[in-house]
Amino acid sequence: MHLFFSTPVWINELNNSLKNFLTLHDKSQLVSKLRLVKSSEEIKYVKAIKEDIKWLGYLWEKECYASDYFEQLYSWANYLIDNDLAYIDSQSSKEIADQKGTPLIPGAASPYRNRSIKESKDIFLEMAEGKYPEGAHVLRAKVDMSSPNMLLRDPVIYRVLNKPHHRTANKWSIYPMYDWTHGESDYIEQISHSLCTLEFKPHRDLYDWFLKVPSQTLPVKASLDDEFINLRFLNYRKAHLRPEGKP
């Protein structure tokens, strides 16, 4: 288990120390949940994470999996298509990457960006039914190809993956990407505070965009300072919880 994944468990135990932080946001407690976000959720990793949490001396209140929400995520993806906020791109992954641009140069729009809603809907359904090989099509959110945040340049949110899943077996031939799954799962579970390490800060804009379309309640987001993790020593007094927008 990644060291950071254990921090919500510790923070839940240190609830009293966070009383002022929680009161500021009108929340009385942090609820610790174990959720596997990777769509693959390979069973060996599931078992390892559970064992690590138990080794730390904790038990979770509720066990959740991203795959619990595949139906809802698929429905919301169709909502995006219906509202011209997502489209099916039939380019190769290399072609898509080449069009992304650089942090200083805007990206180029895909030739499929203005594909009709009906055609994108039809292909997306066929992708879900397993009618295409891997790499044939992806579903991309229609965000902003000129955004300085390259993660907003029409990110892929679904791809074909013709592999069985340890919880859903062969039901799905498409799987959601992490950024799409993360925020929507937080909303479904009514997560009040979303914690991340600083390297994930650029993902926040995409997290917010996905949750605002359709309109959903945004969790309070906070960064855990890099000082939290010291290679030689761990000390919760080094944790700096910073509500978004605060220095």
Side-chain angles (χ1 to χ4, degrees), residues 125-142:
L125 175 60
E126 292 171 347
M127 288 166 61
E129 292 174 341
K131 295 183 178 180
Y132 295 107
E134 294 177 16
H137 306 286
V138 294
L139 180 66
R140 297 177 68 180
K142 190 181 288 188

Side-chain angles (χ1 to χ4, degrees), residues 45-204:
Y45 299 120
V46 174
K47 290 180 178 179
I49 290 173
K50 290 181 180 180
E51 289 170 2
D52 287 347
I53 292 177
K54 290 177 180 178
W55 179 82
L56 288 169
Y58 302 114
L59 291 175
W60 47 94
E61 178 188 68
K62 184 178 181 182
E63 187 172 317
C64 307
Y65 295 82
S67 53
D68 294 337
Y69 317 130
F70 279 175
E71 288 284 358
Q72 182 61 75
L73 293 171
Y74 177 72
S75 175
W76 280 335
N78 275 287
Y79 174 93
L80 294 181
I81 299 173
D82 287 337
N83 288 273
D84 199 26
L85 295 169
Y87 61 96
I88 296 295
D89 197 331
S90 302
Q91 298 181 103
S92 68
S93 58
K94 183 180 185 307
E95 289 172 320
I96 292 174
D98 289 344
Q99 292 168 351
K100 284 279 186 160
T102 71
L104 299 177
I105 301 175
S110 164
Y112 297 98
R113 199 173 197 267
N114 293 318
R115 192 170 223 158
S116 73
I117 291 174
K118 182 181 185 305
E119 186 177 7
S120 285
K121 285 271 288 187
D122 290 345
I123 295 175
F124 192 47
L125 175 60
E126 292 171 347
M127 288 166 61
E129 292 174 341
K131 295 183 178 180
Y132 295 107
E134 294 177 16
H137 306 286
V138 294
L139 180 66
R140 297 177 68 180
K142 190 181 288 188
V143 189
D144 183 0
M145 288 301 294
S146 63
S147 173
N149 184 342
M150 293 184 65
L151 294 172
L152 292 177
R153 296 184 184 179
D154 289 14
V156 173
I157 56 177
Y158 269 94
R159 81 287 198 204
V160 175
L161 188 61
N162 294 312
K163 290 182 173 64
H165 186 283
H166 82 95
R167 297 188 74 247
T168 60
N170 295 305
K171 180 177 181 179
W172 296 96
S173 293
I174 55 172
Y175 291 94
M177 303 299 285
Y178 176 86
D179 279 318
W180 171 244
T181 306
H182 181 195
E184 306 309 293
S185 297
D186 280 356
Y187 173 74
I188 292 169
E189 295 173 11
Q190 292 296 283
I191 297 299
S192 62
H193 293 71
S194 178
L195 307 182
C196 68
T197 46
L198 294 181
E199 65 267 25
F200 282 95
K201 189 174 181 179
H203 292 254
R204 287 181 175 179

